[in-house]
């Protein structure tokens, strides 16, 4: 069994489009120690001249799917890694991966109590691992996901989130669409703010565990607002991915 | 200590983003390790520190007072770690 810090050659088992700019890759790992929902992997690309570049990607799949793990990657136009993954990588290719990494931004079904997940764009990815794990384990704890997306076509995992919410196991999804709303849209249509968070939190207990992942500005706004609403900083775990993610 | 510019705010990450690098250095996942800020005395998990990684090195700051707690600079052959901003941190080494 490889240790998490050892690089191993993963095989791309499948590729799936989530939106026009977001794609999921299923990786089969030869020696996977198992992960916890919310953890990430490091991925390394090395050119023939030896130049190499690393990126961290959140694991999207639940641990129960091991030794296959999914990563979901947004194509960043001027990025070094994501355009390669999107434009070049096909099933059967091999990628250097190590992990799982990072035990801080982790939720497991063994942790009872209400759960609030807040995501911005591809910040939903580690939260999805938690939700898939939660569903797989039959957890019934009250859980809400507030997901901010630019428009209806940019909601990652939209159909699966709807299916999960339809199972009546205590999970609800709340969308806000910040730039473009479909005709007849009755949901939120603005960036996440304190009033929105107060409304989404209201059905949950004030003792809820909170996980926030997205662009740094969204995470800052959310974490600060939740503290003003009265949550303790120790209830809130954050994963900032910078201006847009890379 | 105040952050100087908006750019710093935009580029800020969490200590958790350095999990791989820190595990390389310490041989274990230290993101849930409590670390005490030498400046203000607050204790936070390493993963909750503020991380700045888009520089020649990586910097971890206290999320409460903003003081620099750790700097890590790596070249091809050497790693330099400065951690006088950390009064202590403590982690389990098994057994």
């Amino acid at each position: 069994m490889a240790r998490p810090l050892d690089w191993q050659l993963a095989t791309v088992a499948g590729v799936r489009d989530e939106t026009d700019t977001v794609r999921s890759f299923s990786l089969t790992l030869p020696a996977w120690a198992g992960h916890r929902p919310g953890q990430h992997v490091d991925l390394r690309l090395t050119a023939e001249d030896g130049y190499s570049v690393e990126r961290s990607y959140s694991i999207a799949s639940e641990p129960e799917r091991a030794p296959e793990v999914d990563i979901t990657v947004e194509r960043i136009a001027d990025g070094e890694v994501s355009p390669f993954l999107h434009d070049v990588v096909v099933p059967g290719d091999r990628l250097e991966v190590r992990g799982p990494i990072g035990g801080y931004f982790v939720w497991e079904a063994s942790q009872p109590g209400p759960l609030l997940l807040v995501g911005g764009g591809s910040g939903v990815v580690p939260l999805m691992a938690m939700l898939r794990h939660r569903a797989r384990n039959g957890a019934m704890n009250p859980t809400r996901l507030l997901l901010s997306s630019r428009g209806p076509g940019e909601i990652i995992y939209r159909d699966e989130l709807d299916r999960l919410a339809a199972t009546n196991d205590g999970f609800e999804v709340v969308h806000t669409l910040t730039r473009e709303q479909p005709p007849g849209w009755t949901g939120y249509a603005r960036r996440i703010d304190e009033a929105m968070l107060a409304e989404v939190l209201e059905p949950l207990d004030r003792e809820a565990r909170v996980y926030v992942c997205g662009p740094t500005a969204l995470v800052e706004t959310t974490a600060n607002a939740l503290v003003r609403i009265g949550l303790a900083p120790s209830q809130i775990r954050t994963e900032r991915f910078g201006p847009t993610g890379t | 200590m105040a952050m100087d510019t908006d750019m710093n705010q935009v580029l800020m990450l969490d200590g958790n983003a350095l999990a791989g690098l820190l595990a390389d250095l310490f041989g274990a996942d230290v993101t849930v390790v409590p670390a005490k800020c030498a400046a203000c005395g607050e204790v936070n998990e390493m993963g909750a520190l503020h991380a700045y990684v888009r520089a020649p090195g990586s910097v971890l700051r206290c999320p409460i007072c903003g003081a620099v707690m750790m700097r890590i600079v790596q070249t091809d052959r050497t790693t330099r770690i400065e951690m006088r901003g950390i009064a202590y941190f403590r982690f389990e080494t098994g057994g």
Side-chain angles (χ1 to χ4, degrees):
Chain A
M1 184 68 64
R3 293 172 301 139
L5 296 178
D6 292 338
W7 292 95
Q8 49 183 307
L9 268 182
T11 303
V12 178
V15 178
R16 184 174 65 254
D17 284 334
E18 304 288 357
T19 71
D20 288 348
T21 57
V22 176
R23 184 170 281 188
S24 289
F25 301 85
S26 295
L27 308 176
T28 306
L29 292 132
W32 186 242
H35 71 279
R36 297 189 289 153
Q39 290 190 292
H40 58 265
V41 292
D42 285 349
L43 190 148
R44 178 166 73 183
L45 301 179
T46 305
E48 284 179 18
D49 66 1
Y51 173 74
S52 85
V53 56
E54 284 177 37
R55 290 288 184 275
S56 292
Y57 291 107
S58 290
I59 298 170
S61 52
E62 68 276 29
E64 292 77 8
R65 282 250 326 271
E68 191 168 279
V69 301
D70 285 0
I71 57 172
T72 299
V73 180
E74 181 173 14
R75 190 182 191 287
I76 308 296
D78 58 353
E80 278 190 294
V81 175
S82 64
F84 173 83
L85 293 176
H86 272 251
D87 303 345
V88 178
V89 168
V90 296
D93 284 352
R94 296 191 159 194
L95 295 168
E96 268 193 302
V97 171
R98 68 174 185 173
I101 290 172
Y104 174 72
F105 194 81
V106 164
W107 179 84
E108 291 172 291
S110 56
Q111 297 175 267
L115 185 62
L116 174 64
L117 309 175
V118 182
S122 59
V124 71
V125 175
L127 310 179
M128 196 65 191
M130 298 174 189
L131 289 170
R132 287 167 166 164
H133 167 71
R134 177 184 176 280
R136 182 72 82 101
N137 283 273
M140 302 286 282
N141 61 319
T143 299
R144 306 195 100 193
L145 168 67
L146 173 59
L147 179 56
S148 177
S149 307
R150 287 174 179 163
E154 289 165 282
I155 301 174
I156 302 170
Y157 313 130
R158 180 177 190 171
D159 293 344
E160 186 177 351
L161 288 170
D162 287 345
R163 281 199 303 277
L164 288 174
T167 58
N168 287 317
D169 68 353
F171 168 63
E172 292 173 276
V173 57
V174 180
H175 293 284
T176 182
L177 298 176
T178 57
R179 293 195 189 171
E180 180 201 344
Q181 300 83 29
W185 177 253
T186 55
Y188 292 118
R190 62 183 198 269
R191 290 184 172 194
I192 290 173
D193 57 28
E194 184 172 335
M196 189 188 299
L197 287 163
E199 288 173 12
V200 174
L201 184 64
E202 208 273 330
L204 298 174
D205 191 278
R206 280 290 175 87
E207 305 298 310
R209 289 173 200 272
V210 186
Y211 293 80
V212 189
C213 183
T216 296
L218 176 147
V219 173
E220 284 300 287
T221 299
T222 300
N224 291 336
L226 288 169
V227 170
R228 281 197 301 273
I229 289 169
L231 276 68
S234 58
Q235 288 171 252
I236 306 165
R237 305 225 148 201
T238 56
E239 181 109 298
R240 301 167 172 90
F241 57 55
T244 57
T246 53
Chain B
M1 182 185 293
M3 294 299 140
D4 296 322
T5 64
D6 289 340
M7 208 54 191
N8 277 339
Q9 285 285 356
V10 170
L11 295 178
M12 182 174 80
L13 304 178
D14 310 87
N16 198 46
L18 291 181
L21 172 61
L22 293 169
D24 276 338
L25 299 175
F26 294 105
D29 177 29
V30 295
T31 56
V32 293
V33 159
K36 180 173 181 170
C37 174
C40 72
E42 284 287 333
V43 176
N44 283 280
E45 290 168 272
M46 294 286 281
L49 305 185
H50 290 166
Y52 299 84
V53 301
R54 297 198 184 195
S58 298
V59 175
L60 287 170
R61 288 178 181 270
C62 173
I64 306 300
C65 76
V68 172
M69 292 178 67
M70 184 186 286
R71 292 186 179 95
I72 303 163
V73 178
Q74 288 188 302
T75 68
D76 288 344
R77 292 187 298 121
T78 63
T79 297
R80 185 187 177 99
I81 308 172
E82 187 237 271
M83 40 193 301
R84 63 181 163 179
I86 295 182
Y88 70 77
F89 69 64
R90 181 190 73 227
F91 61 99
E92 310 299 326
T93 44

